[in-house]
């Protein structure tokens, strides 16, 4: 059995490497977004601007949190909501890219991993699940409250699964407590995720339902609409012949 200090040393070394990798990944994503914006094929300038606003809001909200468990696992103040709204408006592909960037930002702000695989599961795939919200508007004639609720639950269910497998790897190495209360690391990881993820999901659902019922969500979506109708051009008035009559 490895001692925790040994695991911490391994994690610190791996974290330092992945931190620089993630910085390069963020730069690459920004270049990709800028290139697609210039070409005008995938992203418009307004979509990138709204992605930046939503990313900043989600990142700021992620610092308002309660951590009921050690080494991660925080209940935040609806930190996913701004990007969930972005994905709801602009679709799964753009929502996934924005989620990936948020995951990288969260890692850079507080880097800690045990293995490169846990980095991929916890910071890339778990946050990329935000893109699933992009399928919510296509759920038939359901009311907006039902669509945002189902979409949010799908996002958190996917996030739960990624964190579950990451936790299985993490706890299997006895990296938090020397004497774990059970031998099944999968069950232990399941209980661990249940401590904070369902609560975080409930907060996000409640906020989105409130926004939908108060029509604030519709107003936000209208503001983010890149296809706003331009005012109709006024017909040209015929030029009057000002030549004086004889």
């Amino acid at each position: 059995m490895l001692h925790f200090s040994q695991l911490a040393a391994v994690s610190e070394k791996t974290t330092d490497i992945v931190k620089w990798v993630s910085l390069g990944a963020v730069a690459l994503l920004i270049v990709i977004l800028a290139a697609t914006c210039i070409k005008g094929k995938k992203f418009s300038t307004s979509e990138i601007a709204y992605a930046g606003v939503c990313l900043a809001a989600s990142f700021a909200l992620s610092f308002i949190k309660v951590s009921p468990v050690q080494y991660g696992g925080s209940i935040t103040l609806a930190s996913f909501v701004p990007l969930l709204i972005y994905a709801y408006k602009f679709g799964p592909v753009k929502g996934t890219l924005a989620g990936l960037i948020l995951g990288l930002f969260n890692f850079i702000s507080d880097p800690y991993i045990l293995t490169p695989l846990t980095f991929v599961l916890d910071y890339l795939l778990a946050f990329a699940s935000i893109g699933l919200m992009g399928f919510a508007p296509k759920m038939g004639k359901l009311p907006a409250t039902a669509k945002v609720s189902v979409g949010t639950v799908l996002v958190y269910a996917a996030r739960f699964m990624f964190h579950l497998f990451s936790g299985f790897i993490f706890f299997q190495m006895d990296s938090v407590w020397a004497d774990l209360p059970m031998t099944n690391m999968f069950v232990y990881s399941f209980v661990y995720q249940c401590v904070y993820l369902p609560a975080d999901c409930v907060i996000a659902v409640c906020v989105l339902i409130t926004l939908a019922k108060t029509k604030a969500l519709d107003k936000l979506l209208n503001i983010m609409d890149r296809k706003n109708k331009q005012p109709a051009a006024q017909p040209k008035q015929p030029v009057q012949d000002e030549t004086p009559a004889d």
Side-chain angles (χ1 to χ4, degrees):
M1 180 183 297
L2 292 174
H3 193 271
F4 175 72
S5 60
Q6 294 175 303
L7 291 170
V10 173
S11 178
E12 183 179 356
K13 181 178 179 181
T14 308
T15 296
D16 187 59
I17 295 172
V18 178
K19 181 177 180 179
W20 289 107
V21 172
S22 60
L23 282 170
V26 170
L28 179 61
L29 283 171
I30 292 174
V31 170
I32 293 172
L33 291 175
T36 52
C37 177
I38 293 172
K39 291 184 178 180
K41 294 181 178 179
K42 296 295 182 182
F43 288 85
S44 68
T45 304
S46 60
E47 286 173 341
I48 294 179
Y50 290 129
V53 171
C54 293
L55 276 167
S58 288
F59 189 58
L61 289 171
S62 69
F63 288 97
I64 307 175
K65 60 186 178 181
V66 175
S67 299
V69 287
Q70 289 181 300
Y71 306 105
S74 300
I75 302 171
T76 65
L77 186 61
S79 63
F80 266 29
V81 167
L83 279 187
L84 287 174
I85 295 174
Y86 180 81
Y88 186 87
K89 175 61 183 177
F90 295 114
V93 174
K94 294 164 188 175
T96 298
L97 282 174
L100 282 171
I101 296 174
L102 178 64
L104 291 169
F105 282 170
N106 273 266
F107 174 76
I108 293 169
S109 66
D110 187 20
Y112 183 82
I113 61 170
L114 188 61
T115 68
L117 182 56
T118 59
F119 164 76
V120 172
L121 290 169
D122 282 334
Y123 293 99
L124 297 183
L125 296 180
F127 283 83
S129 63
I130 289 174
L132 292 174
M133 187 61 154
F135 296 105
K138 303 176 182 179
M139 295 179 180
K141 297 182 179 180
L142 291 175
T145 52
K147 290 180 179 180
V148 295
S149 299
V150 173
T152 303
V153 171
L154 285 175
V155 169
Y156 274 87
R159 182 185 175 188
F160 186 95
M161 293 303 298
F162 291 128
H163 286 318
L164 177 66
F165 286 109
S166 176
F168 175 77
I169 298 170
F170 198 80
F171 293 122
Q172 190 178 34
M173 301 180 71
D174 293 356
S175 56
V176 177
W177 293 283
D179 298 318
L180 296 172
M182 59 187 72
T183 58
N184 191 325
M185 298 302 101
F186 191 84
V187 175
Y188 195 88
S189 179
F190 181 85
V191 173
Y192 182 88
Q193 311 310 328
C194 286
V195 172
Y196 70 98
L197 272 178
D200 203 60
C201 178
V202 169
I203 293 173
V205 169
C206 290
V207 170
L208 286 169
I209 288 177
T210 302
L211 291 174
K213 284 192 172 183
T214 58
K215 304 299 181 182
L217 181 61
D218 290 336
K219 293 179 181 178
L220 287 172
L221 295 177
N222 287 334
I223 292 172
M224 298 168 73
D225 191 354
R226 64 188 179 91
K227 294 183 180 179
N228 290 327
K229 294 182 178 179
Q230 298 296 328
Q234 296 295 328
K236 293 183 179 180
Q237 297 295 331
V239 178
Q240 298 292 334
D241 187 2
E242 298 180 356
T243 303
D246 292 337

